[in-house]
Amino acid sequence: MRITIVGAGLVGTHLAKYLSGEQMDIFIIDKDPSKLAILDSEYNLMAIEGDGTAFSTLRKAELERCELFIAVTDVAERNIVICGIAKSMGAKMTVARVDRQDYIEPRNQKVLNTMGVDKAIFPEYLLAQGIIESLKHSWTRNWYEFNNGAMIMVGLRLAADAPIAGKCLRELSSGERFFHIVAIRRNFQTLIPNGNCVLQPDDILYVTTTTARQQELATITGKKPFDIKRVLIAGGDKIVEMTLNIAPKSFRFTVIESDISRAQELIQKCPNCDVIVGEASEFDVMEEAGIGKADAFVALTDTSEGNILACLTAHDMGIRKTVAHVERQHFLNMAEAFRIGAVVNKQMLMANAMFQLMIDSGSLSSKCLALPDAEMVRLEIRHGSKITATPVKDLKIPDEVTFAGMIRNGQSELVTGQTLLQAGDHLLVVCLQGGLQKAKKLFN
């Protein structure tokens, strides 16, 4: 598959990282040679220096062979123009990063289509959706749904008093299998666990199960789901505004905003919230905002480190659920170490949205989810595949690969050692970085 990305900022760089892989040709275009030099040295891609609106620059990417064209510069209107040019030059699918909600409204999609934009993606809107999902599922760090919600994968931190803490995975497989631990984050590394792996308190587990068994999963991992009603938010930018506008009416919001004019604007645009003027880092401001009665705290200020510190303060003041917007990649490990309840990151949300877009369009049938240092792929078992000839326990599955679950005849199931795979099954496979090619060889 041939993919062209225009814009080597934070979003473009991480899209290049997550979309790159075996059997993909990635081109990235930017005016800044220093950004391209870094990308060229770290990733398997072709860097093109130049203006993304220039025909001569775009011709270097051979757009007549481009299956996916993504414009993610900082200017929405520029991205729309670039996509229009790319479409006219032969790009099969075009995606533009936008910065206003009206661009993504269904009623305006036809207008964008006539301009050469097949899909508009608004990263800040994705962040707002991610925040609401975090608040809906109080006991998890991450929540992903598959097969129309019939199967879920959750990320959670293993509690010290959890029934499965300190146990070997082999012990857990002797009983009924209603969950599967597909990956573990430990000491800032992602592991694919085997039967000899001992679960340790504070491990961040990625676990698949069916939606019907989520309460049982919460119990064995030491989690106590609770309803979130009162939410305190630090920051008042457009992400906050969108979060307030798309949130269920069951949530009651109080926003702490340091800028008086922005606070007044929020009061007018979002009458369903209370607004306190002040700094979220100050204890008296937090108390005035009602920190003692809040169920959750969301930090959406301009800096990643500020959001992490604000969440730590909220946690020390008794808040059970904290959510931090962490933009810079090097702060993600810090947030993980400091027990932030959930972290939302624009680059990863964009990558996951792009995977889903390609799957829906038929342009991509495998990669569907970006995880820390790993990825989930969806692979279909073809007729005649050797993988159907023996039970899963007898397959030579690489250490970097595990089967998270499968979809057979529209039904979601976990995969056990006794499972005999069939042609037509769709397997959800988690691979460490570099393991995708090994997984595909196993299927072939």
Side-chain angles (χ1 to χ4, degrees), residues 367-423:
K367 190 179 297 189
C368 60
L369 186 66
L371 299 171
D373 300 325
E375 58 197 6
M376 177 177 280
V377 299
R378 176 171 172 162
L379 299 175
E380 181 181 1
I381 301 178
R382 306 285 177 85
H383 288 281
S385 173
K386 62 183 179 180
I387 202 172
T388 62
T390 183
V392 167
K393 64 181 179 64
D394 295 326
L395 297 174
K396 295 180 180 179
I397 302 174
D399 293 339
E400 304 95 331
V401 175
T402 188
F403 297 162
M406 73 175 182
I407 301 170
R408 174 179 291 173
N409 298 324
Q411 301 297 313
S412 299
E413 303 177 24
L414 295 180
V415 179
T416 71
Q418 303 302 322
T419 299
L420 190 62
L421 300 172
Q422 302 173 6

Side-chain angles (χ1 to χ4, degrees), residues 164-176:
I164 62 173
K167 290 191 175 182
C168 177
L169 284 183
R170 201 176 303 281
E171 298 177 54
L172 303 178
S173 63
S174 59
E176 181 191 4

Side-chain angles (χ1 to χ4, degrees), residues 225-236:
F226 61 97
D227 291 334
I228 292 177
K229 295 181 180 179
R230 294 175 179 267
V231 182
L232 186 58
I233 299 180

